[in-house]
Amino acid sequence: MRLIFLGPPGAGKGTQAELFTKEHRLAHISTGDILRDAVKRGTPLGLKAKQYMDSGALVPDDVVVAIVAQKLAGIDGGFVLDGFPRTLAQAEALDKILDESNGNLDAAVYLDVNEDTVVRRLSGRRICRKCGANYHVENMPPHREGVCDKCGGELYQREDDRPEVVRERLEVYRRETAPLIDYYRTRDLLRTVVADPPPEEVMKELGKVLA
Ligand code: AP5
């Protein structure tokens, strides 16, 4: 299966992609995670990306497309792209990459979520500094406050989850990414899942629309 997960910040793309790829043994490619890892390691890519990410802007298309092309070249089986594409230029670049490898997308899953839900989710999100695991202070709390269940690492709030940056990310989403819903609808690839319910329910719906 070759899938993309689309939706606004906080729709649950990362959460669902992690559950889905584990269950179906697919590769999980998250451009956000790759960029955050580069920032953490202080690589040239990270230094370049940080200025965009901290303000809620998109990293330039050529940078992100090159990352995804390289990742896909190293993958044999199916995958979920989480957070890519995010602009029409990226969607067209992905089509070209897949054409050149004689591949094609099976579906673009749109996680449709209410804006109030997004704001609540992002303000409560916590991430493990060590392994990147994702929590929410109310919806998916760790067993011990501030400590990762998986590796014992410290949990922190993402810089771009501050309210003023969330507003900017939502604006960028509406302007740059929302047009992709039509892009995939016209290609008959769009599958919509209402993403407000708890993760297990969303996961069940996801299974249904992809069956
Ligand atoms: P990225 O990391 O991709 O951020 P995003 O798209 O804004 O998505 P989020 O990670 O905020 O949300 P999500 O939908 O994955 O939700 P999650 O599962 O985490 O990108 C960050 C930045 O990198 C961008 O702003 C940009 O600068 C750059 N970038 C990345 N890709 C790029 C690209 N292609 N082009 C250019 N720039 C790019 O869930 C959120 C919270 O809600 C968590 O706490 C989770 O536990 C909780 N939660 C999830 N699902 C549920 C549920 N069903 N019920 C209750 N709580 C839930």
Side-chain angles (χ1 to χ4, degrees):
M1 247 183 302
R2 298 190 186 97
L3 305 171
I4 66 174
F5 284 9
L6 263 181
K13 302 181 293 297
T15 303
Q16 294 302 324
E18 196 183 332
L19 294 170
F20 195 84
T21 53
K22 267 200 191 128
E23 187 172 320
H24 296 272
R25 294 169 183 267
L26 304 170
H28 177 187
I29 303 173
S30 159
T31 43
D33 286 349
I34 294 167
L35 292 167
R36 268 185 297 281
D37 182 58
V39 170
K40 190 168 133 194
R41 289 186 292 116
T43 65
L45 167 66
L47 294 176
K48 184 167 184 182
K50 185 172 170 32
Q51 52 182 315
Y52 297 98
M53 295 173 79
D54 282 354
S55 66
L58 295 182
V59 174
D61 288 334
D62 57 336
V63 174
V64 186
V65 168
I67 293 173
V68 172
Q70 195 198 11
K71 285 278 169 193
L72 289 179
I75 286 175
D76 260 348
F79 57 79
V80 171
L81 282 169
D82 156 14
F84 180 94
R86 248 170 154 105
T87 63
L88 282 172
Q90 291 180 18
E92 285 163 5
L94 177 61
D95 287 347
K96 194 157 167 257
I97 294 168
L98 293 175
D99 272 355
E100 284 167 359
S101 63
N102 292 321
N104 59 294
L105 274 183
D106 293 302
V109 177
Y110 167 43
L111 297 175
D112 185 5
V113 69
N114 190 298
E115 207 163 298
D116 291 343
T117 307
V118 161
V119 172
R120 264 200 315 279
R121 283 185 188 171
L122 296 184
S123 59
R125 170 163 55 188
R126 298 294 181 269
I127 310 281
C128 174
R129 235 179 244 295
K130 221 160 130 193
C131 74
N134 207 323
Y135 297 88
H136 189 278
V137 289
E138 286 162 14
N139 305 331
M140 293 205 276
H143 295 307
R144 260 181 66 205
E145 196 186 325
V147 180
C148 179
D149 292 345
K150 292 180 185 161
C151 74
E154 180 203 358
L155 303 185
Y156 77 104
Q157 180 168 37
R158 261 167 58 172
E159 188 64 23
D160 62 351
D161 280 346
R162 288 176 294 125
E164 64 278 19
V165 186
V166 168
R167 273 195 294 279
E168 175 61 17
R169 286 163 66 200
L170 283 169
E171 187 50 43
V172 169
Y173 169 78
R174 283 187 215 104
R175 194 175 62 236
E176 305 281 352
T177 310
L180 296 186
I181 296 167
D182 269 345
Y183 182 89
Y184 289 111
R185 185 181 284 126
T186 56
R187 285 160 179 73
D188 205 19
L189 288 172
L190 194 76
R191 308 283 179 272
T192 301
V193 172
V194 175
D196 297 283
E200 318 75 56
E201 282 183 37
V202 177
M203 177 72 179
K204 259 191 218 151
E205 283 309 305
L206 194 59
K208 282 187 201 161
V209 300
L210 291 174

